[in-house]
Amino acid sequence: MARDLNGHPVATGGLQRLFGRLRGGSGAASEPVPGDSDLVVVAECFDDTAAASTVLADSAWRESDQAVLRHLLEIPSDQIDAVADTAAQDGYEVVDAGDIDGPTAEPGPGMTRVALARTQLVDALHCSQERSRMAGLGARHDGTVLGWQVLQRPVA
């Protein structure tokens, strides 16, 4: 099922699915989900001062395609469950942070890197809103946000 700019499911009618298949899409089965091994990073930013609009404009991101928006946070190890529970209220799930080629410094003592991701359409405004939401989540749990990534399926 397709997702909107806020990650909420959007129902598609039978005709929309049929036209999508005729255009070469494979329907609902083609929606990326967090943790898909075939997704590639099409945009990323580990600089708090960079505008999402600039990062997205200079990237391989495809505006009309569904994507996975992934945020990398560094939080105290004892706060992982609380952060995951809060993020889950907005459709985020914890995914493996081991493959993220972001900041290279190791987490500080007692800190853990956590990646939170959800499927949604991405645009600069909503990406910025989610960055802000993650910054607040990190700060409430004595952590920090390291960066964000947009992942999509590679172009065939």
Side-chain angles (χ1 to χ4, degrees):
M1 179 174 291
R3 304 281 174 164
D4 67 11
L5 291 163
N6 293 307
H8 300 125
V10 176
T12 55
L15 282 177
Q16 288 173 312
R17 286 190 300 271
L18 176 62
F19 288 131
R21 287 187 187 109
L22 291 173
R23 285 191 310 264
S26 56
S30 67
E31 177 186 303
V33 294
D36 272 358
S37 61
D38 61 337
L39 297 178
V40 295
V41 175
V42 294
E44 67 182 349
C45 183
F46 294 96
D47 177 0
D48 286 343
T49 64
S53 58
T54 302
V55 173
L56 291 173
D58 294 341
S59 73
W61 158 72
R62 298 177 312 276
E63 183 175 4
S64 61
D65 291 354
Q66 292 284 304
V68 170
L69 182 59
R70 180 167 68 180
H71 304 272
L72 182 63
L73 291 81
E74 190 171 283
I75 57 172
S77 301
D78 63 351
Q79 295 291 315
I80 293 174
D81 290 339
V83 167
D85 289 345
T86 302
Q89 295 173 16
D90 291 315
Y92 283 95
E93 60 185 80
V94 175
V95 296
D96 182 24
D99 66 339
I100 298 177
D101 291 330
T104 57
E106 291 297 315
M111 302 295 277
T112 301
R113 289 201 176 152
V114 174
L116 299 170
R118 76 174 182 191
T119 302
Q120 67 178 75
L121 277 176
V122 173
D123 70 1
L125 172 66
H126 289 86
C127 186
S128 294
Q129 288 174 339
E130 292 308 306
R131 287 173 66 185
S132 179
R133 179 178 295 183
M134 290 297 150
L137 178 63
R140 284 191 307 276
H141 295 280
D142 300 320
T144 186
V145 176
L146 302 174
W148 57 272
Q149 297 177 314
V150 176
L151 296 90
Q152 291 178 315
R153 295 196 193 287
V155 177

